[in-house]
Amino acid sequence: MQTRGKVPPERVEKIMDQIEKYIMTRLYKYVFCPETTDDEKKDLAIQKRIRALHWVTPQMLCVPVNEEISEVSDMVVKAITDIIEMDSKRVPRDKLACITKCSKHIFNAIKITKNEPASADDFLPTLIYIVLKGNPPRLQSNIQYITRFCNPSRLMTGEDGYYFTNLCCAVAFIEKLDAQSLNLSQEDFDRYMSGQTSPRKQESENWSPDACLGVKQMYKNLDLLSQLNERQERIMSEAKKLEKDLIEWTDGIAKEVQDIVEKYPLEIKPPNQSLAAIDSENVENDKLPPPLQPQVYAG
């Protein structure tokens, strides 16, 4: 189009977007998270990782957002909604647009909190916090789908590419997050990861008597949900272990039965010949005494 048709670059970009929309909508179910890749395995791993990090607070990540401000809280909710909505889109450009909208809500939340424009140093920690709080479905599959099929010019330049790069950095940070990343001791980090305690619980123990009852109840409910989540994970782990033991027991019994059958094979013998009836005509094998002859007495 550019060499023969002399089409302007802006027009070519729009045409390419429409072609991408048509093709990827038709092929979505075949090329999104294909069986030939390990995308699904990565999705489960990052989802489990984010669930395990539910205790991470904004203060640990140095997030410059104050959710006690109602307008800021609304922006946080909208950002989480946008990043979750990404999974429902089929076209790479539309998924990228969800990331862009999420990022703009984050910048607005930071701007309202600080009363000044947000910087890149403020944006990335807040994006990490949004991902941890939202736990978007099939996150790795969506990132790989955009990387593979989105128009390369969008990923290399412009704000869409910038926000997408930051999302990839946020996911990489979450995967490698450790005690040093959060300025915690290794002991505290291990206790939080194992569910023995949580930072929110420690904060609630230091509340003053004048603290809001609603906030206290909210953190109490969060602790209960955390405990229920840990209990459910333990139950699922035990259930999988029991299932594995039952399968191994069944296989062991079947093997023992097979070994016994091979060691002592069952032999089916022909039935014995039936004995001749008393009144049969088999004279040769008849060893009965001769019959009594009737005797006549003269009277």
Side-chain angles (χ1 to χ4, degrees):
M1 287 185 290
Q2 290 178 339
T3 56
R4 296 185 180 181
K6 306 293 183 181
V7 181
E10 297 80 9
R11 181 65 176 170
V12 172
E13 190 76 16
K14 292 182 179 180
I15 294 173
M16 290 297 294
D17 289 341
Q18 294 301 319
I19 294 174
E20 175 190 287
K21 182 177 181 179
Y22 175 78
I23 294 177
M24 300 316 301
T25 301
R26 299 292 297 270
L27 298 179
Y28 182 78
K29 63 181 180 180
Y30 303 107
V31 297
F32 182 84
C33 190
E35 297 180 356
T36 55
T37 66
D38 58 349
D39 292 351
E40 185 176 2
K41 183 178 179 181
K42 291 181 179 179
D43 287 335
L44 296 175
I46 191 65
Q47 192 175 47
K48 184 178 179 181
R49 176 69 171 172
I50 292 175
R51 281 202 304 265
L53 294 169
H54 64 89
W55 48 268
V56 176
T57 63
Q59 292 75 21
M60 292 179 179
L61 295 170
C62 299
V63 175
V65 168
N66 185 5
E67 293 186 70
E68 293 182 0
I69 303 174
S70 60
E71 192 174 357
V72 173
S73 179
D74 291 340
M75 290 293 175
V76 170
V77 171
K78 289 179 181 178
I80 293 173
T81 303
D82 288 333
I83 197 70
I84 291 176
E85 188 181 1
M86 173 179 61
D87 186 58
S88 65
K89 304 299 182 181
R90 289 177 170 243
V91 182
R93 179 167 54 92
D94 294 341
K95 291 182 181 291
L96 209 56
C98 290
I99 299 173
T100 301
K101 288 192 296 182
C102 168
S103 301
K104 289 183 176 180
H105 288 312
I106 291 174
F107 273 106
N108 289 333
I110 298 172
K111 183 178 179 181
I112 295 171
T113 301
K114 299 181 67 175
N115 290 323
E116 63 182 25
S119 64
D121 294 335
D122 296 331
F123 171 67
L124 184 57
T126 310
L127 178 60
I128 294 170
Y129 174 67
I130 293 296
V131 173
L132 287 174
K133 197 168 183 179
N135 197 358
R138 301 192 290 185
L139 182 57
Q140 287 285 8
S141 290
N142 281 290
I143 290 176
Q144 294 300 324
Y145 180 76
I146 293 172
T147 303
R148 291 167 185 154
F149 301 110
C150 188
N151 189 342
S153 62
R154 286 187 177 274
L155 298 182
M156 299 297 180
T157 59
E159 61 177 7
D160 290 343
Y162 172 76
Y163 295 139
F164 178 72
T165 301
N166 276 271
L167 177 62
C168 296
C169 293
V171 173
F173 178 85
I174 292 171
E175 291 176 336
K176 299 179 180 179
L177 189 145
D178 56 11
Q180 186 177 1
S181 304
L182 301 175
N183 294 320
L184 295 173
S185 65
Q186 189 62 44
E187 181 182 359
D188 287 342
F189 183 82
D190 293 338
R191 289 171 61 207
Y192 296 153
M193 290 295 291
S194 63
Q196 295 178 6
T197 185
S198 67
R200 295 187 178 92
K201 185 175 181 181
Q202 292 179 352
E203 291 173 2
S204 64
E205 292 173 352
N206 298 326
W207 281 333
S208 65
D210 298 331
C212 177
L213 294 176
V215 175
K216 287 183 178 180
Q217 186 63 39
M218 180 184 69
Y219 279 106
K220 183 179 179 181
N221 293 339
L222 287 173
D223 289 335
L224 290 174
L225 287 173
S226 176
Q227 294 173 13
L228 288 173
N229 183 50
E230 293 163 7
R231 183 180 177 185
Q232 182 182 12
E233 289 182 354
R234 286 197 301 269
I235 291 174
M236 291 299 297
S237 177
E238 293 295 330
K240 290 180 180 179
K241 182 180 178 182
L242 177 60
E243 181 183 11
K244 182 180 178 181
D245 292 342
L246 286 174
I247 293 175
E248 291 178 353
W249 179 79
T250 304
D251 295 341
I253 293 296
K255 187 175 184 304
E256 289 181 6
V257 171
Q258 184 65 28
D259 292 341
I260 292 173
V261 170
E262 292 176 357
K263 187 174 181 180
Y264 305 102
L266 180 63
E267 296 181 1
I268 301 177
K269 297 180 179 180
N272 296 328
Q273 296 181 355
S274 58
L275 297 174
I278 296 177
D279 56 349
S280 66
E281 297 180 355
N282 188 4
V283 181
E284 296 179 355
N285 296 329
D286 191 1
K287 297 182 180 180
L288 294 175
L292 297 176
Q293 296 295 330
Q295 297 180 3
V296 180
Y297 293 94

